[in-house]
């Protein structure tokens, strides 16, 4: 056996838990009261922002208020921010556990601006080693620890002079980076790490990947009422977010739900005004599986890949040049039900001629879009309504259309509106619609 292999095995053993006796397990389960919204295990997550002016958290009050787990920011890609995270990590973990609060940790990741998969993987492994070293500095996992989490919520890799993003990592790069990071941490610690993000990022910035679905998902979505027992994150007003953790029923397979970023901090013994609040999905036994490293996602049927679709043009109305072209399009799955994600866009078919126009497509129901096309002059046109789906759940499809716009000899000219005085902008309330307790 090589020296490197021996070191890896020793490191995994050092970071793993000792077996838990049945009586001890029963005691641990009974301490995990399900007092959170929806009769779930209640938790929070903290970072430097919960220590204004260096103030300490009152963990005894936190425990009395019903919180049973706490995710602590423990590391960061950026050196200065990482240093600040270390400042509070050790005390927060020790004091929280003193009152029976389980503690987990998270690493805020910044993706690299690189061109090759090799460089991408090297960066992911480097940041994973940073996490492994931080965990070792804590003495490894103990019986009141949850696994480390990867916080990945930003795919910008280059910023301009005015701090706007000028380059984003591709979906493939983001996915490969996350898989490499998570696998490196898992193999070194003998624990399955947690993945944190929000639904739109998972759907639009990452590829769907069955390997990712093997990690517990910590999903952030606010302004969804957490109190009904069946409430859950990952929902849209129409359709659903489709990503690596979306099952065939169009629901997210989450393990932890960050349901608010605006919890009343003082209620839980935390200095300042705001606190992120979380819920665990499952009973105390399931929670302890996560804590003990025996958690697994179970048998889940996920959304299909590239399933066939059919498309139907309900109507297209084109009249005169001063009126919008109106259309309605529906897209269906093989069983006749509407597609749950994707977009519709209109394309003009021309012989290389550049024709300017504007369009808007509004999804009014699952699989149904109302399209408005404006700015076309009088003439006869050929085009296509194309359906596409970045999640690759539903196959691309299109329908051809031909229409004629006539010249209105007597167009109605709308009167110029009276100039309005814009009211002074008011500061936005980022907590609007969120649950605070």
């Amino acid at each position: 056996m090589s020296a490197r292999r021996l070191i890896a095995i020793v490191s995994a053993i050092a970071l793993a838990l000792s077996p838990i006796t049945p009586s001890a397990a029963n005691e641990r389960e009974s301490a995990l009261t399900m007092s959170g919204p929806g009769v779930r295990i209640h938790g929070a997550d903290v970072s430097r922002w919960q220590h204004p002016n260096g103030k300490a958290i009152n963990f005894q009050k936190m425990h009395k208020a019903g919180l049973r787990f706490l995710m602590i920011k423990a590391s960061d890609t950026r050196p200065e921010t990482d240093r600040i995270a270390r400042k509070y990590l050790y005390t927060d973990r020790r004091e929280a556990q003193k009152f029976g609060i389980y503690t987990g940790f998270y690493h805020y990741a910044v993706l690299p601006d690189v061109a090759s998969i090799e460089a991408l993987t090297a960066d992911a492994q480097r940041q994973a080693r940073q996490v492994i070293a931080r965990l070792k500095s804590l003495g490894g996992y103990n019986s009141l620890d949850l696994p480390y989490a990867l916080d990945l919520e930003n795919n910008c890799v280059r910023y301009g002079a005015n701090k706007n993003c000028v380059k984003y990592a591709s979906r493939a790069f983001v996915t490969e980076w996350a898989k490499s990071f998570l696998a490196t941490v898992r193999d070194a610690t003998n624990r399955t790490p947690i993945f944190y993000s929000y639904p739109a990022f998972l759907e639009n910035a990452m590829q769907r990947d069955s390997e990712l679905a093997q990690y517990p998902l910590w999903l952030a979505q606010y302004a969804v009422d957490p109190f009904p027992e069946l409430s859950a994150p990952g929902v849209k007003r129409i359709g659903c977010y489709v990503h690596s953790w979306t099952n065939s029923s169009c629901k997210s397979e989450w393990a932890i739900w960050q349901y608010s970023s605006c919890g009343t901090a003082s209620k839980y013994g935390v200095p300042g005004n705001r606190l992120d609040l979380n819920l665990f999905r499952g009973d105390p036994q399931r929670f302890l599986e996560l804590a003990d490293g025996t958690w697994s996602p179970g048998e889940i049927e996920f959304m299909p890949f590239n399933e066939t679709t059919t498309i139907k043009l309900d109507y297209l109305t084109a009249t005169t040049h001063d009126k919008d072209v109106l259309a309605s399009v529906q897209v269906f799955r093989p069983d006749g039900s509407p597609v749950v994600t994707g977009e519709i866009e209109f394309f003009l078919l021309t012989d290389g001629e550049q024709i300017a126009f504007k369009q808007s497509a509004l999804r009014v129901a699952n699989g149904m879009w109302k399209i408005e096309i404006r700015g076309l002059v009088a003439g006869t046109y050929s085009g296509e309504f194309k359906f596409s789906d970045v999640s690759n759940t539903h196959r691309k499809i299109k329908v051809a259309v031909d229409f004629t716009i006539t010249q209105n000899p007597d167009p109605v000219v709308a009167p110029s509106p009276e100039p309005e005085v814009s009211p002074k902008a008011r500061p936005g309330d980022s907590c609007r619609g969120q649950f605070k307790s």
Side-chain angles (χ1 to χ4, degrees), residues 313 316 318 346 349 380-384 400-404:
L313 177 66
L316 186 147
F346 174 71
L349 301 179
T380 298
Y381 297 93
S382 295
E384 295 173 336
V401 293
D402 297 295
F403 57 91
T404 298

Side-chain angles (χ1 to χ4, degrees), residues 161-293:
N162 60 353
K163 297 185 178 181
N164 65 313
C165 188
V166 297
K167 181 184 178 183
Y168 292 93
S170 69
R171 292 161 58 88
F173 264 41
V174 176
T175 304
E176 286 303 315
W177 190 97
K179 287 166 59 178
S180 180
F181 176 98
L182 291 165
T184 303
V185 173
R186 178 198 61 207
D187 294 345
T189 63
N190 201 28
R191 290 279 200 93
T192 303
I194 298 167
F195 186 88
Y196 169 91
S197 197
Y198 59 97
F201 185 89
L202 297 176
E203 182 177 69
N204 298 309
M206 301 184 72
Q207 295 176 331
R208 290 173 60 203
D209 192 291
S210 59
E211 183 179 329
L212 285 176
Q214 302 307 304
Y215 297 97
L217 177 62
W218 178 10
L219 193 59
Q221 189 174 20
Y222 314 136
V224 177
D225 187 352
F227 285 90
E229 290 190 32
L230 297 180
S231 63
V235 297
K236 286 181 178 177
R237 186 179 65 86
I238 298 174
C240 69
Y241 292 99
V242 180
H243 47 72
S244 297
W245 290 267
T246 305
N247 65 28
S248 59
S249 298
C250 213
K251 297 179 180 179
S252 295
E253 291 291 335
W254 56 277
I256 300 174
W257 173 15
Q258 187 184 77
Y259 70 88
S260 178
S261 65
C262 296
T264 305
S266 59
K267 175 181 177 179
Y268 302 100
V270 177
N273 298 317
R274 294 170 56 166
L275 177 67
D276 293 345
L277 294 174
N278 299 274
L279 296 171
F280 177 77
R281 182 184 193 176
D283 59 17
Q285 183 178 354
R286 185 66 168 157
F287 182 93
L288 291 177
E289 289 176 3
L290 187 63
D292 297 342

